[in-house]
């Protein structure tokens, strides 16, 4: 994001009381699990990673799952997988809605948990399923993932943050038990671009920030990085407005978001842009760049597309 855009970022902070409770819940129950599955949004792998979690789960085997990979740029997702693996963190790309990568995810979780489950049996205990905790920020797709793995609606899913509020154990066949937990955000975004990307993707409740400003900034980013997507989706002929707010107004006119006097209904236009971006109708987009040159992709570690 360029300096001109960065200087105009809205202040976005969100850490309601139930998230503090969620943090305590995670800390209290961490001893019950063998491995932690951290669910990230493949469109923003860095921005959707809660830095508090790394400290909280320190010492536990950790598996990263890049969810919503169907909405992210495939080449970028491959680079992110290579990056995490180069850090010694197993990672898989998944689509919890369509079920892609599920077998790969379960197999890797079982593999990471095996040292502990084997020790348990050697110490005289009865063989048991691997126990996993699924962690992630709100609206990253935890409930959809659990529902897909369980094959039934076990966790309430909704396309908005803050749905899961209490822990629940969910059995996945005979080999895996999942402990679901509420999503948590961190108390302060040190980099306001992080808060902005979370707002773009819907991880933050739309009611707590200036939606007009955020939508205008999203359009500025899209115009800079993916101009052809905007031209194709909104049928622009020739040059598009450079200013994000002017671009929002132009889109509103093209979509007929007009009120009395021919004035554009900006709220309706905002809804169109945010909804279409979040659903992938503006194309496959990755907003976070890999922070360093990716390592060579190990053989056999391609994205799993099995159901």
């Amino acid at each position: 994001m360029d300096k001109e855009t960065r200087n105009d970022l809205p202040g976005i902070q969100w850490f309601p009381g139930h998230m503090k409770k969620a943090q305590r819940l995670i800390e209290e129950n961490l001893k019950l699990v063998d491995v932690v599955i951290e669910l990230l949004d493949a469109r923003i792998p860095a921005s959707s990673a809660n830095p508090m979690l790394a400290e909280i789960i320190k010492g536990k085997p950790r598996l990263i799952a890049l969810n919503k990979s169907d909405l992210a740029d495939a080449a970028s997702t491959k680079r992110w997988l290579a990056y995490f693996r180069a850090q010694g963190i197993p990672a898989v790309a998944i689509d919890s809605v369509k079920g892609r990568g599920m077998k790969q995810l379960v197999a890797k979780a079982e593999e990471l948990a095996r040292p502990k489950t084997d020790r348990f049996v050697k110490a005289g205990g009865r063989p048991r399923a691997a126990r996993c905790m699924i962690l992630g920020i709100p609206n990253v797709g935890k409930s959809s993932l659990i529902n897909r793995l369980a094959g039934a609606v076990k966790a309430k899913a909704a396309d908005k943050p803050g749905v899961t509020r209490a822990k629940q154990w969910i059995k996945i066949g005979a080999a895996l038990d999942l402990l679901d937990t509420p999503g948590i955000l961190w108390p302060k975004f040190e980099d306001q671009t992080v808060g902005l990307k979370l707002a773009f993707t819907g991880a933050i409740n739309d009611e707590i920030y200036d939606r007009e400003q955020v939508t205008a900034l999203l359009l500025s980013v899209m115009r800079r990085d993916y101009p052809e997507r905007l031209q194709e989706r909104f049928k622009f002929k020739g040059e598009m407005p450079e200013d994000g707010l002017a671009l929002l107004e132009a889109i509103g006119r093209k979509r007929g978001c007009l009120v009395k006097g021919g004035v554009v209904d900006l709220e309706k236009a905002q809804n169109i842009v945010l909804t279409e971006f979040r659903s992938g109708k503006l194309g496959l987009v990755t907003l976070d760049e890999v922070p360093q040159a990716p390592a060579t992709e190990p053989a056999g570690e391609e994205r799993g597309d099995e159901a």
Side-chain angles (χ1 to χ4, degrees), residues 256-268:
C257 304
L258 303 176
V259 294
K260 187 175 181 179
V263 177
V264 173
D265 183 339
L266 290 178
E267 184 175 354
K268 189 173 181 179

Side-chain angles (χ1 to χ4, degrees), residues 87-135:
Q87 312 306 306
I89 306 172
V92 297
I94 66 172
D95 174 359
S96 61
V97 174
K98 296 180 181 177
R100 292 175 178 167
M102 295 299 105
K103 290 182 180 179
Q104 186 183 11
L105 176 69
V106 171
K108 184 61 69 173
E110 292 175 4
E111 177 187 330
L112 290 172
R114 194 165 296 126
K116 184 172 180 179
T117 55
D118 286 349
R119 285 197 304 270
F120 183 75
V121 172
K122 288 179 181 179
R126 296 180 61 181
R128 63 167 176 78
R131 295 172 180 171
C132 300
M133 177 183 285
I134 295 182
L135 299 177

Side-chain angles (χ1 to χ4, degrees), residues 71-84:
L71 300 177
D73 177 82
S76 294
T77 297
K78 187 173 181 179
R79 288 194 295 271
W80 271 106
L81 290 173
Y83 168 76
F84 286 123

Side-chain angles (χ1 to χ4, degrees), residues 4-285:
E4 183 177 351
T5 302
R6 288 173 59 91
N7 290 338
D8 196 32
L9 296 181
I12 299 175
Q13 299 296 335
W14 188 39
F15 198 63
H18 78 268
M19 291 193 175
K20 293 182 181 179
K21 294 179 182 178
Q23 182 179 337
R24 289 195 297 270
L25 188 68
I26 290 170
E27 293 170 337
E28 292 168 1
N29 291 280
L30 194 60
K31 61 181 179 290
L32 302 177
V33 302
D34 308 316
V35 61
V36 171
I37 299 174
E38 183 178 4
L39 206 56
L40 304 179
D41 188 324
R43 297 168 296 178
I44 50 171
S47 299
S48 60
N50 187 336
M52 293 169 58
L53 293 183
E55 183 62 29
I56 293 172
I57 67 176
K58 194 173 182 179
K60 284 284 181 181
R62 175 183 173 203
L63 170 61
I64 285 179
L66 295 181
N67 196 27
K68 305 188 180 183
S69 58
D70 59 310
L71 300 177
D73 177 82
S76 294
T77 297
K78 187 173 181 179
R79 288 194 295 271
W80 271 106
L81 290 173
Y83 168 76
F84 286 123
R85 292 165 184 162
Q87 312 306 306
I89 306 172
V92 297
I94 66 172
D95 174 359
S96 61
V97 174
K98 296 180 181 177
R100 292 175 178 167
M102 295 299 105
K103 290 182 180 179
Q104 186 183 11
L105 176 69
V106 171
K108 184 61 69 173
E110 292 175 4
E111 177 187 330
L112 290 172
R114 194 165 296 126
K116 184 172 180 179
T117 55
D118 286 349
R119 285 197 304 270
F120 183 75
V121 172
K122 288 179 181 179
R126 296 180 61 181
R128 63 167 176 78
R131 295 172 180 171
C132 300
M133 177 183 285
I134 295 182
L135 299 177
I137 66 171
N139 205 33
V140 77
K142 295 190 305 302
S143 296
S144 296
L145 171 59
I146 292 170
N147 293 340
R148 171 62 65 172
L149 289 173
V153 179
K154 299 290 185 181
K156 185 177 180 181
D159 188 21
K160 61 181 180 180
V163 171
T164 305
R165 293 297 179 90
K167 76 170 182 177
Q168 53 183 327
W169 282 100
I170 298 169
K171 194 165 190 62
I172 309 298
L176 194 67
D177 289 337
L178 294 179
L179 175 61
D180 184 32
T181 56
I184 60 173
L185 287 175
W186 45 107
K188 181 180 181 182
F189 304 135
E190 298 297 337
D191 183 350
Q192 282 298 316
T193 61
V194 169
L196 192 60
K197 291 172 185 177
L198 292 171
F200 289 166
T201 56
I204 298 176
N205 194 310
D206 287 340
E207 297 177 0
I208 61 97
Y209 60 81
D210 186 331
R211 292 177 76 253
E212 181 177 304
Q213 187 179 13
V214 165
T215 307
L217 287 169
L218 171 59
L219 288 172
S220 293
V221 172
M222 290 294 295
R223 188 188 187 285
R224 184 193 66 209
D225 297 340
Y226 302 95
E228 71 285 355
R229 308 280 179 78
L230 296 179
Q231 288 178 323
E232 180 181 353
R233 183 65 184 173
F234 298 113
K235 297 180 171 47
F236 281 104
K237 296 179 180 179
E239 191 69 17
M240 293 181 291
E242 293 186 5
D243 177 72
L245 188 56
L247 186 51
L248 176 62
E249 185 172 349
I251 289 172
R253 290 190 180 280
K254 284 185 170 293
R255 288 296 180 88
C257 304
L258 303 176
V259 294
K260 187 175 181 179
V263 177
V264 173
D265 183 339
L266 290 178
E267 184 175 354
K268 189 173 181 179
Q270 294 159 28
N271 290 336
I272 289 173
V273 171
L274 290 175
T275 299
E276 296 198 0
F277 172 78
R278 293 168 182 171
S279 65
K281 291 180 179 178
L282 298 188
L284 307 183
V285 175

